[in-house]
Amino acid sequence: MAAAAATRVIGSKPSDCFQFIDPNTWTCITELASDVVVQVGEVSFHLHKMPLISRSGTLNKLVNESTGDDGGGDDSKPCTVRLDDVPGGAEAFLLAARFCYDVQTELNAGNVVPLRCAAEHLAMTEDYGEGNLVEQAESFLSEVLAGWNDTVRALDACDDAAVLPAAEDLLIVPRCIDSLADKACADPTLSGWPMLEYFTAKSLEETAIWNGIGAAGRPRSPGVDWWYEQASSFGLPVYKRLIAAVRSRGMSPENIAGSLMHYARGHLSGLRRRGDNSDGSSRGVRAGASGTAAVLSAGDQRTLLEEIVALLPVEKGVAPTRFLLGLLSVATVLHAAAACRGELERRAGNQLEEAALGDLLIPNTGYSAETLYDVDSVQRMLEQFMVTTPPAFAASPETTDEGQLVDAPPAELRPVCSVGKLVDGYLAEVGTDANLKPSKFQTIAALVPDYARAIDDGLYRAIDIYLKEQLCRLMNCQKLSLEACTHAAQNERLPLRVVVQVLFFEQLRLRTTVSGWFFVSDNADQGSSSDNCVLPRRRPDDDLDFSAGSEVTTEEDGFAAARHDEPSSPAMSVAEIQRPGKPKSALSRLLGKLGLCGRSSSRQQQQPPLPGASDKRRKSFDLGC
């Protein structure tokens, strides 16, 4: 079973001597009337001079100054002294006053630090009685520092602004940090390990019950990350000192980096939204960080991120590439210092072969941003990788069989081959950006050496996407005729973005046309002359001329461009323009491009010819880019 939290009871008299009269007044019930009032902030304590001045040098001095050194003051009226600067405030002074009256008081890890600081401030030393409060509190504090949980509670008590200066002067904070560092660096397999009681309790809490029988026969063995969660509850100043302490004791860089990653995920909201769990730990983000912890401001998060980057061990590989790129993405959003972002780019570039495509899609949030993603950052990381990677087989790539490079490249070529595939995929992803300049595309593609690509299929795909996007921008989808829209919607060679735009404008045009016909029909029902209900006729040069081109044999190769007579009535025109089967086929092809079409496209029925179209095969204009 886990060891109980450290507690100690001092004093022998019953605790009901002290009573709370009203929200701001304490009094000690004795046979004698109170002759001194101690004011601590807004709380008043009606006490007696003798117990106080016999134990506290500070109160002895203040009471004498209040009544006069010659004792000529009026003893019938209680004197008043103020102690507004006592560490721990009224709560700590109440414990000290109870000690002066020998009233039972329980010391624990949560109140020993403010009580120790208050005892020092009140000068409750051995000069004012043997076994005084300073000695009692100091002795119990040593017991508290022997356990992990109690030390954490004591360190949390030091976080109070009224206690922290005194706790630093008395070296309580450094002692707590050193105690935690010693326990974090201890071998958990050793006998008498000081954290055994903590992890035994965790094991009992998390033990599964099977068939009504508990499986808590023995506690599970803790890993090296057992201290990450509670260390993440500390504020940044204390946490930095803890990391410095464990580093000075020789903790491994991997263990230090693991704690820093856990701390960053607990306090940086950007990393939590990314769902980064690159260390493979099932522990996840601590509950306090994701639930009850206060959300830091953007400025505080920027400061914390820069400190985390500065604390990361310099050894390569101690932090996963995904975590480094996640920090870089958050640093870009928070506009962290250029030195911080440069350090992250250098670290991530040194191990770029471990990155995934999604991790490289860093949003471009600069004030003069042109591209959607930060392409310049990826270029710098790629340059860093090429500088630190030895040029294996660069001089004689023909010594290795091409099939071997594709199936199983040599160990010395695997990193650069992985980066080559990564860059090709990245170029295909950012190639759809209208603001990506050809020179930037070419520069990034050329950074990967030839021997890193056994085959250039990935590069070809990226170039194909980029060229299609660049050429299709010359075309305005709103200026396509109905026949051209129908063909473009079925053209598998067009980028998906263009197909979506074509379908959108086609449906918008059809909707507008049908609305116009309904308006004409309403006018006719109201008695308007049929001669006035004439739809505007298209001029011969309004649409593209589809009389030239290759023969139309299937949907994929072309579309029927036969011009039929103008509609004689609105109802007839609607039937003609809807062309049963065509919109459905275009939509099916769009769903196929999106991967949402479950059936094979080969089962699609061949669409009927356009109404009024000639039986002869006509030439069509090829709109493929």
Side-chain angles (χ1 to χ4, degrees), residues 66-89:
S66 177
T67 57
D69 294 340
D70 56 356
D74 186 3
D75 294 337
S76 61
K77 183 179 179 181
C79 65
T80 302
V81 296
R82 297 195 63 86
L83 286 173
D84 293 331
D85 55 349
V86 60

Side-chain angles (χ1 to χ4, degrees), residues 249-391:
R249 285 164 173 76
M251 178 175 284
S252 66
E254 291 79 9
N255 202 0
I256 295 176
S259 177
L260 289 168
M261 289 188 291
H262 194 87
Y263 192 87
R265 295 190 192 101
H267 295 274
L268 295 176
S269 56
L271 286 181
R272 293 200 295 269
R273 286 193 294 268
R274 287 174 58 92
D276 175 54
N277 193 24
S278 53
D279 59 350
S281 173
S282 60
R283 185 183 304 273
V285 181
R286 66 185 178 91
S290 59
T292 59
V295 178
L296 299 177
S297 64
D300 292 339
Q301 291 193 53
R302 179 169 56 250
T303 301
L304 187 144
L305 186 146
E306 294 172 356
E307 293 288 352
I308 291 293
V309 174
L311 290 173
L312 278 173
V314 297
E315 289 79 2
K316 177 182 177 180
V318 295
T321 306
R322 183 180 183 186
F323 173 75
L324 295 174
L325 292 174
L327 282 182
L328 180 58
S329 180
V330 177
T332 303
V333 174
L334 295 176
H335 300 290
C340 174
R341 286 177 288 170
E343 178 65 14
L344 287 172
E345 290 175 355
R346 185 189 66 82
R347 289 174 175 267
N350 290 337
Q351 49 195 54
L352 193 60
E353 69 277 7
E354 301 175 1
L357 176 58
D359 301 329
L360 291 180
L361 300 179
I362 302 171
N364 200 344
T365 58
Y367 298 106
S368 59
E370 295 181 355
T371 56
L372 178 62
Y373 298 112
D374 196 344
V375 183
D376 293 332
S377 178
V378 174
Q379 178 181 342
R380 289 191 292 267
M381 287 187 286
L382 184 57
E383 291 172 347
Q384 175 67 24
F385 175 80
M386 291 304 169
V387 169
T388 57
T389 302

Side-chain angles (χ1 to χ4, degrees), residues 487-508:
H487 180 274
Q490 304 174 65
N491 191 347
E492 295 183 350
R493 290 170 294 180
L494 288 178
L496 181 60
R497 178 183 60 84
V498 177
V499 176
V500 172
Q501 290 182 359
V502 167
L503 287 175
F504 171 76
F505 290 122
E506 182 181 10
Q507 295 297 325
L508 184 63

Side-chain angles (χ1 to χ4, degrees), residues 52 66 110 177 202 225 250 268 318 405 419 451 458 460 487 499 521 531 555 567 598 608:
L52 298 180
S66 177
I177 292 176
K202 296 290 290 183
D225 61 344
L268 295 176
V318 295
L405 290 177
V419 171
Y451 63 87
Y460 169 77
H487 180 274
V499 176
S521 178
D531 295 337
E555 287 183 357

